[in-house]
Tab-separated table of all heavy atoms in Angstrom:
chain	number	residue	atom	x	y	z
A	26	ASN	N	-8.765	-36.873	99.390
A	26	ASN	CA	-9.243	-38.087	100.057
A	26	ASN	C	-10.002	-39.003	99.074
A	26	ASN	O	-10.652	-39.981	99.440
A	26	ASN	CB	-10.211	-37.699	101.199
A	26	ASN	CG	-9.420	-37.135	102.397
A	26	ASN	OD1	-8.851	-37.901	103.205
A	26	ASN	ND2	-9.408	-35.841	102.529
A	27	ASP	N	-9.709	-38.781	97.744
A	27	ASP	CA	-10.281	-39.610	96.671
A	27	ASP	C	-11.810	-39.751	96.805
A	27	ASP	O	-12.317	-40.918	96.663
A	27	ASP	CB	-9.583	-40.960	96.695
A	27	ASP	CG	-8.112	-40.874	96.381
A	27	ASP	OD1	-7.748	-40.087	95.518
A	27	ASP	OD2	-7.346	-41.570	97.063
A	28	LEU	N	-12.541	-38.682	97.083
A	28	LEU	CA	-13.915	-38.725	97.226
A	28	LEU	C	-14.618	-38.055	95.995
A	28	LEU	O	-14.123	-37.082	95.477
A	28	LEU	CB	-14.376	-38.023	98.472
A	28	LEU	CG	-13.881	-38.569	99.825
A	28	LEU	CD1	-14.148	-37.608	100.959
A	28	LEU	CD2	-14.503	-39.918	100.145
A	29	VAL	N	-15.773	-38.588	95.648
A	29	VAL	CA	-16.634	-37.924	94.650
A	29	VAL	C	-17.979	-37.660	95.287
A	29	VAL	O	-18.245	-38.119	96.357
A	29	VAL	CB	-16.768	-38.780	93.326
A	29	VAL	CG1	-15.422	-38.970	92.671
A	29	VAL	CG2	-17.364	-40.179	93.741
A	30	GLY	N	-18.830	-36.923	94.526
A	30	GLY	CA	-20.091	-36.513	95.081
A	30	GLY	C	-20.948	-37.719	95.574
A	30	GLY	O	-21.676	-37.581	96.598
A	31	ASP	N	-20.909	-38.815	94.886
A	31	ASP	CA	-21.719	-39.983	95.293
A	31	ASP	C	-21.288	-40.571	96.605
A	31	ASP	O	-22.110	-41.261	97.240
A	31	ASP	CB	-21.644	-41.045	94.144
A	31	ASP	CG	-22.422	-40.638	92.926
A	31	ASP	OD1	-23.278	-39.755	93.017
A	31	ASP	OD2	-22.220	-41.296	91.899
A	32	ASP	N	-20.039	-40.296	96.970
A	32	ASP	CA	-19.561	-40.845	98.244
A	32	ASP	C	-20.117	-40.073	99.460
A	32	ASP	O	-20.109	-40.649	100.632
A	32	ASP	CB	-18.029	-40.796	98.316
A	32	ASP	CG	-17.326	-41.622	97.232
A	32	ASP	OD1	-17.903	-42.753	96.953
A	32	ASP	OD2	-16.280	-41.188	96.694
A	33	ILE	N	-20.501	-38.841	99.284
A	33	ILE	CA	-20.838	-37.974	100.392
A	33	ILE	C	-22.295	-38.105	100.734
A	33	ILE	O	-23.189	-38.044	99.856
A	33	ILE	CB	-20.577	-36.522	100.007
A	33	ILE	CG1	-19.105	-36.347	99.533
A	33	ILE	CG2	-20.833	-35.558	101.169
A	33	ILE	CD1	-18.070	-36.811	100.594
A	34	ARG	N	-22.565	-38.316	102.032
A	34	ARG	CA	-23.946	-38.351	102.519
A	34	ARG	C	-24.500	-36.966	102.654
A	34	ARG	O	-25.656	-36.646	102.246
A	34	ARG	CB	-24.031	-39.072	103.868
A	34	ARG	CG	-25.379	-39.143	104.457
A	34	ARG	CD	-26.381	-39.909	103.628
A	34	ARG	NE	-27.749	-39.841	104.242
A	34	ARG	CZ	-28.731	-39.065	103.830
A	34	ARG	NH1	-28.519	-38.207	102.855
A	34	ARG	NH2	-29.884	-39.140	104.366
A	35	PHE	N	-23.715	-36.037	103.274
A	35	PHE	CA	-24.152	-34.681	103.447
A	35	PHE	C	-22.984	-33.707	103.347
A	35	PHE	O	-21.881	-33.992	103.829
A	35	PHE	CB	-24.826	-34.444	104.796
A	35	PHE	CG	-26.243	-34.888	104.840
A	35	PHE	CD1	-26.660	-35.936	105.659
A	35	PHE	CD2	-27.269	-34.167	104.169
A	35	PHE	CE1	-27.984	-36.308	105.706
A	35	PHE	CE2	-28.600	-34.565	104.263
A	35	PHE	CZ	-28.958	-35.614	104.990
A	36	LEU	N	-23.229	-32.537	102.736
A	36	LEU	CA	-22.360	-31.360	102.902
A	36	LEU	C	-23.004	-30.603	104.066
A	36	LEU	O	-24.177	-30.431	104.129
A	36	LEU	CB	-22.412	-30.508	101.670
A	36	LEU	CG	-21.928	-29.085	101.817
A	36	LEU	CD1	-20.413	-29.042	102.107
A	36	LEU	CD2	-22.142	-28.245	100.517
A	37	VAL	N	-22.168	-30.212	105.032
A	37	VAL	CA	-22.570	-29.456	106.190
A	37	VAL	C	-21.914	-28.117	106.106
A	37	VAL	O	-20.823	-27.839	106.627
A	37	VAL	CB	-22.198	-30.184	107.558
A	37	VAL	CG1	-22.897	-29.526	108.663
A	37	VAL	CG2	-22.496	-31.654	107.435
A	38	PRO	N	-22.576	-27.125	105.443
A	38	PRO	CA	-21.943	-25.859	105.197
A	38	PRO	C	-22.349	-24.809	106.298
A	38	PRO	O	-23.378	-24.867	106.913
A	38	PRO	CB	-22.549	-25.434	103.853
A	38	PRO	CG	-23.930	-26.052	103.884
A	38	PRO	CD	-23.844	-27.267	104.764
A	39	HIS	N	-21.430	-23.837	106.483
A	39	HIS	CA	-21.731	-22.699	107.258
A	39	HIS	C	-22.950	-21.983	106.631
A	39	HIS	O	-23.001	-21.804	105.490
A	39	HIS	CB	-20.564	-21.731	107.323
A	39	HIS	CG	-20.861	-20.416	107.877
A	39	HIS	ND1	-21.452	-20.263	109.127
A	39	HIS	CD2	-20.706	-19.152	107.419
A	39	HIS	CE1	-21.655	-18.980	109.382
A	39	HIS	NE2	-21.200	-18.294	108.402
A	40	GLN	N	-23.899	-21.605	107.514
A	40	GLN	CA	-25.125	-21.028	107.016
A	40	GLN	C	-25.108	-19.551	107.017
A	40	GLN	O	-25.615	-18.856	107.876
A	40	GLN	CB	-26.287	-21.521	107.935
A	40	GLN	CG	-26.351	-23.037	108.138
A	40	GLN	CD	-26.891	-23.810	106.952
A	40	GLN	OE1	-28.023	-23.569	106.485
A	40	GLN	NE2	-26.121	-24.724	106.446
A	41	ALA	N	-24.406	-18.985	105.980
A	41	ALA	CA	-24.327	-17.529	105.844
A	41	ALA	C	-25.207	-16.961	104.737
A	41	ALA	O	-25.815	-15.963	104.932
A	41	ALA	CB	-22.850	-17.158	105.556
A	42	ASN	N	-25.332	-17.736	103.647
A	42	ASN	CA	-26.042	-17.263	102.458
A	42	ASN	C	-26.365	-18.455	101.615
A	42	ASN	O	-25.471	-19.215	101.322
A	42	ASN	CB	-25.180	-16.207	101.767
A	42	ASN	CG	-25.906	-15.604	100.557
A	42	ASN	OD1	-26.298	-16.341	99.573
A	42	ASN	ND2	-26.116	-14.285	100.579
A	43	LYS	N	-27.597	-18.579	101.226
A	43	LYS	CA	-28.071	-19.735	100.440
A	43	LYS	C	-27.314	-19.802	99.138
A	43	LYS	O	-26.955	-20.921	98.649
A	43	LYS	CB	-29.541	-19.660	100.222
A	43	LYS	CG	-30.108	-20.752	99.326
A	43	LYS	CD	-30.304	-22.070	100.027
A	43	LYS	CE	-31.223	-23.035	99.305
A	43	LYS	NZ	-31.006	-23.189	97.874
A	44	ARG	N	-27.010	-18.655	98.506
A	44	ARG	CA	-26.255	-18.697	97.234
A	44	ARG	C	-24.817	-19.214	97.398
A	44	ARG	O	-24.305	-19.921	96.482
A	44	ARG	CB	-26.345	-17.291	96.641
A	44	ARG	CG	-27.697	-16.858	96.182
A	44	ARG	CD	-27.688	-15.535	95.491
A	44	ARG	NE	-27.284	-14.418	96.376
A	44	ARG	CZ	-27.107	-13.161	95.993
A	44	ARG	NH1	-27.278	-12.863	94.675
A	44	ARG	NH2	-26.795	-12.257	96.850
A	45	ILE	N	-24.200	-18.869	98.499
A	45	ILE	CA	-22.847	-19.375	98.726
A	45	ILE	C	-22.903	-20.896	98.970
A	45	ILE	O	-22.052	-21.686	98.464
A	45	ILE	CB	-22.238	-18.702	99.953
A	45	ILE	CG1	-22.074	-17.202	99.661
A	45	ILE	CG2	-20.872	-19.323	100.341
A	45	ILE	CD1	-21.582	-16.423	100.929
A	46	ILE	N	-23.886	-21.369	99.666
A	46	ILE	CA	-24.062	-22.807	99.912
A	46	ILE	C	-24.277	-23.590	98.631
A	46	ILE	O	-23.689	-24.579	98.321
A	46	ILE	CB	-25.257	-23.041	100.902
A	46	ILE	CG1	-24.934	-22.493	102.290
A	46	ILE	CG2	-25.570	-24.563	100.981
A	46	ILE	CD1	-26.062	-22.474	103.244
A	47	ASP	N	-25.152	-22.986	97.709
A	47	ASP	CA	-25.436	-23.586	96.469
A	47	ASP	C	-24.201	-23.716	95.595
A	47	ASP	O	-23.980	-24.713	94.908
A	47	ASP	CB	-26.528	-22.807	95.689
A	47	ASP	CG	-27.914	-22.947	96.319
A	47	ASP	OD1	-28.095	-23.857	97.172
A	47	ASP	OD2	-28.729	-22.133	96.021
A	48	ALA	N	-23.388	-22.631	95.570
A	48	ALA	CA	-22.169	-22.656	94.794
A	48	ALA	C	-21.181	-23.686	95.267
A	48	ALA	O	-20.509	-24.375	94.449
A	48	ALA	CB	-21.516	-21.276	94.846
A	49	THR	N	-21.071	-23.861	96.600
A	49	THR	CA	-20.158	-24.841	97.185
A	49	THR	C	-20.611	-26.301	96.752
A	49	THR	O	-19.830	-27.139	96.412
A	49	THR	CB	-20.121	-24.725	98.699
A	49	THR	OG1	-19.666	-23.425	99.010
A	49	THR	CG2	-19.169	-25.729	99.321
A	50	ALA	N	-21.916	-26.580	96.904
A	50	ALA	CA	-22.468	-27.871	96.567
A	50	ALA	C	-22.238	-28.163	95.072
A	50	ALA	O	-21.904	-29.324	94.685
A	50	ALA	CB	-23.978	-27.950	96.896
A	51	SER	N	-22.440	-27.180	94.250
A	51	SER	CA	-22.245	-27.379	92.822
A	51	SER	C	-20.802	-27.714	92.459
A	51	SER	O	-20.545	-28.608	91.651
A	51	SER	CB	-22.699	-26.066	92.054
A	51	SER	OG	-22.410	-26.208	90.705
A	52	ARG	N	-19.864	-27.029	93.119
A	52	ARG	CA	-18.462	-27.276	92.872
A	52	ARG	C	-18.131	-28.749	93.323
A	52	ARG	O	-17.273	-29.339	92.685
A	52	ARG	CB	-17.625	-26.252	93.639
A	52	ARG	CG	-16.111	-26.457	93.555
A	52	ARG	CD	-15.557	-26.168	92.164
A	52	ARG	NE	-14.210	-26.625	92.023
A	52	ARG	CZ	-13.110	-25.956	92.495
A	52	ARG	NH1	-13.350	-24.776	93.141
A	52	ARG	NH2	-11.932	-26.435	92.377
A	53	MET	N	-18.714	-29.207	94.311
A	53	MET	CA	-18.477	-30.567	94.859
A	53	MET	C	-19.216	-31.664	94.071
A	53	MET	O	-19.052	-32.835	94.354
A	53	MET	CB	-18.848	-30.609	96.320
A	53	MET	CG	-18.019	-29.706	97.205
A	53	MET	SD	-18.686	-29.558	98.903
A	53	MET	CE	-18.566	-31.274	99.459
A	54	GLY	N	-20.159	-31.244	93.211
A	54	GLY	CA	-20.922	-32.253	92.490
A	54	GLY	C	-21.966	-32.891	93.387
A	54	GLY	O	-22.316	-34.116	93.267
A	55	ILE	N	-22.579	-32.134	94.271
A	55	ILE	CA	-23.509	-32.613	95.259
A	55	ILE	C	-24.894	-31.971	95.027
A	55	ILE	O	-24.958	-30.748	94.953
A	55	ILE	CB	-23.051	-32.395	96.742
A	55	ILE	CG1	-21.903	-33.305	97.013
A	55	ILE	CG2	-24.188	-32.656	97.733
A	55	ILE	CD1	-21.277	-33.039	98.353
A	56	GLY	N	-25.966	-32.708	94.988
A	56	GLY	CA	-27.285	-32.206	94.765
A	56	GLY	C	-27.861	-31.618	96.085
A	56	GLY	O	-27.355	-31.876	97.162
A	57	GLU	N	-29.000	-30.860	95.914
A	57	GLU	CA	-29.565	-30.195	97.077
A	57	GLU	C	-29.986	-31.178	98.163
A	57	GLU	O	-30.035	-30.830	99.351
A	57	GLU	CB	-30.799	-29.421	96.612
A	57	GLU	CG	-30.522	-28.139	95.826
A	57	GLU	CD	-31.685	-27.280	95.618
A	57	GLU	OE1	-32.817	-27.728	95.988
A	57	GLU	OE2	-31.582	-26.169	95.002
A	58	GLU	N	-30.410	-32.378	97.779
A	58	GLU	CA	-30.853	-33.348	98.751
A	58	GLU	C	-29.718	-33.824	99.677
A	58	GLU	O	-29.999	-34.451	100.696
A	58	GLU	CB	-31.455	-34.576	97.993
A	58	GLU	CG	-30.458	-35.549	97.351
A	58	GLU	CD	-29.854	-35.038	96.018
A	58	GLU	OE1	-30.310	-33.923	95.562
A	58	GLU	OE2	-28.981	-35.724	95.440
A	59	LYS	N	-28.513	-33.461	99.353
A	59	LYS	CA	-27.379	-33.858	100.215
A	59	LYS	C	-26.778	-32.615	100.920
A	59	LYS	O	-25.618	-32.711	101.406
A	59	LYS	CB	-26.246	-34.553	99.386
A	59	LYS	CG	-26.634	-35.913	98.837
A	59	LYS	CD	-25.453	-36.560	98.189
A	59	LYS	CE	-25.755	-37.987	97.797
A	59	LYS	NZ	-24.533	-38.668	97.285
A	60	VAL	N	-27.443	-31.575	100.999
A	60	VAL	CA	-26.979	-30.354	101.674
A	60	VAL	C	-27.826	-30.095	102.963
A	60	VAL	O	-29.016	-29.934	102.904
A	60	VAL	CB	-27.076	-29.147	100.754
A	60	VAL	CG1	-26.548	-27.899	101.439
A	60	VAL	CG2	-26.233	-29.385	99.469
A	61	MET	N	-27.149	-30.046	104.093
A	61	MET	CA	-27.813	-29.622	105.303
A	61	MET	C	-28.135	-28.167	105.256
A	61	MET	O	-27.269	-27.354	105.031
A	61	MET	CB	-26.953	-30.001	106.567
A	61	MET	CG	-26.770	-31.432	106.851
A	61	MET	SD	-26.069	-31.655	108.466
A	61	MET	CE	-25.866	-33.462	108.479
A	62	LEU	N	-29.395	-27.843	105.516
A	62	LEU	CA	-29.798	-26.431	105.414
A	62	LEU	C	-30.827	-26.096	106.525
A	62	LEU	O	-31.869	-26.706	106.649
A	62	LEU	CB	-30.513	-26.207	104.036
A	62	LEU	CG	-30.727	-24.787	103.609
A	62	LEU	CD1	-29.381	-24.120	103.237
A	62	LEU	CD2	-31.618	-24.727	102.375
A	63	ASN	N	-30.447	-25.067	107.297
A	63	ASN	CA	-31.414	-24.598	108.304
A	63	ASN	C	-31.321	-23.065	108.423
A	63	ASN	O	-31.854	-22.431	109.363
A	63	ASN	CB	-31.273	-25.216	109.641
A	63	ASN	CG	-29.874	-25.050	110.263
A	63	ASN	OD1	-29.122	-24.128	109.846
A	63	ASN	ND2	-29.563	-25.846	111.269
A	64	ILE	N	-30.690	-22.418	107.415
A	64	ILE	CA	-30.476	-20.965	107.462
A	64	ILE	C	-31.859	-20.279	107.435
A	64	ILE	O	-32.035	-19.177	107.939
A	64	ILE	CB	-29.692	-20.464	106.234
A	64	ILE	CG1	-29.296	-19.002	106.345
A	64	ILE	CG2	-30.392	-20.820	104.880
A	64	ILE	CD1	-28.343	-18.507	105.260
A	65	GLN	N	-32.906	-20.917	106.825
A	65	GLN	CA	-34.179	-20.290	106.772
A	65	GLN	C	-34.832	-20.045	108.094
A	65	GLN	O	-35.606	-19.099	108.280
A	65	GLN	CB	-35.143	-21.152	105.873
A	65	GLN	CG	-35.542	-22.480	106.501
A	65	GLN	CD	-34.522	-23.593	106.409
A	65	GLN	OE1	-33.437	-23.347	105.884
A	65	GLN	NE2	-34.875	-24.737	106.861
A	66	LYS	N	-34.495	-20.834	109.128
A	66	LYS	CA	-35.094	-20.616	110.443
A	66	LYS	C	-34.193	-20.105	111.518
A	66	LYS	O	-34.660	-19.620	112.541
A	66	LYS	CB	-35.694	-21.948	110.931
A	66	LYS	CG	-34.762	-23.142	111.010
A	66	LYS	CD	-35.531	-24.328	111.471
A	66	LYS	CE	-34.613	-25.542	111.642
A	66	LYS	NZ	-35.292	-26.777	112.134
A	67	TYR	N	-32.829	-20.114	111.298
A	67	TYR	CA	-31.929	-19.594	112.297
A	67	TYR	C	-31.060	-18.463	111.808
A	67	TYR	O	-30.484	-17.711	112.657
A	67	TYR	CB	-30.947	-20.711	112.736
A	67	TYR	CG	-31.618	-21.879	113.367
A	67	TYR	CD1	-31.149	-23.210	113.105
A	67	TYR	CD2	-32.782	-21.823	114.193
A	67	TYR	CE1	-31.723	-24.319	113.668
A	67	TYR	CE2	-33.351	-22.899	114.740
A	67	TYR	CZ	-32.805	-24.182	114.453
A	67	TYR	OH	-33.414	-25.257	115.022
A	68	GLY	N	-31.006	-18.210	110.463
A	68	GLY	CA	-30.082	-17.224	109.978
A	68	GLY	C	-28.651	-17.593	110.232
A	68	GLY	O	-28.315	-18.793	110.399
A	69	ASN	N	-27.720	-16.654	110.268
A	69	ASN	CA	-26.297	-16.905	110.477
A	69	ASN	C	-25.999	-16.798	111.948
A	69	ASN	O	-25.981	-15.662	112.549
A	69	ASN	CB	-25.475	-15.900	109.673
A	69	ASN	CG	-23.974	-16.160	109.761
A	69	ASN	OD1	-23.538	-16.956	110.605
A	69	ASN	ND2	-23.201	-15.482	109.004
A	70	THR	N	-25.728	-17.908	112.628
A	70	THR	CA	-25.409	-17.905	114.022
A	70	THR	C	-23.884	-18.046	114.261
A	70	THR	O	-23.438	-18.497	115.313
A	70	THR	CB	-26.133	-19.054	114.769
A	70	THR	OG1	-25.867	-20.312	114.075
A	70	THR	CG2	-27.642	-18.876	114.753
A	71	THR	N	-23.107	-17.700	113.244
A	71	THR	CA	-21.651	-17.657	113.269
A	71	THR	C	-21.049	-19.001	113.701
A	71	THR	O	-21.207	-19.932	112.944
A	71	THR	CB	-21.223	-16.500	114.162
A	71	THR	OG1	-21.826	-15.297	113.723
A	71	THR	CG2	-19.711	-16.222	114.089
């Protein structure tokens, strides 16, 4: 879709493991400030 990291407002990842989320964001060229994260308070709700 001809998108780069700067085009993306947020990555909305499945909340299974923070390290998996970090790896996905890194591959996409997206910083932590653009990653939706609530695993700390809900865990993995599938």
Side-chain angles (χ1 to χ4, degrees):
N26 287 279
D27 298 319
L28 298 169
V29 296
D31 288 344
D32 298 323
I33 305 304
R34 177 65 183 98
F35 278 113
L36 165 65
V37 192
H39 169 54
Q40 308 286 301
N42 183 297
K43 176 77 163 47
R44 292 185 293 175
I45 296 174
I46 293 170
D47 290 343
T49 301
S51 176
R52 176 71 190 280
M53 296 169 62
I55 290 175
E57 286 188 359
E58 74 283 357
K59 290 187 173 184
V60 178
M61 290 192 184
L62 195 69
N63 59 17
I64 190 173
Q65 70 281 3
K66 58 181 180 177
Y67 301 142
N69 183 350
T70 55
T71 306

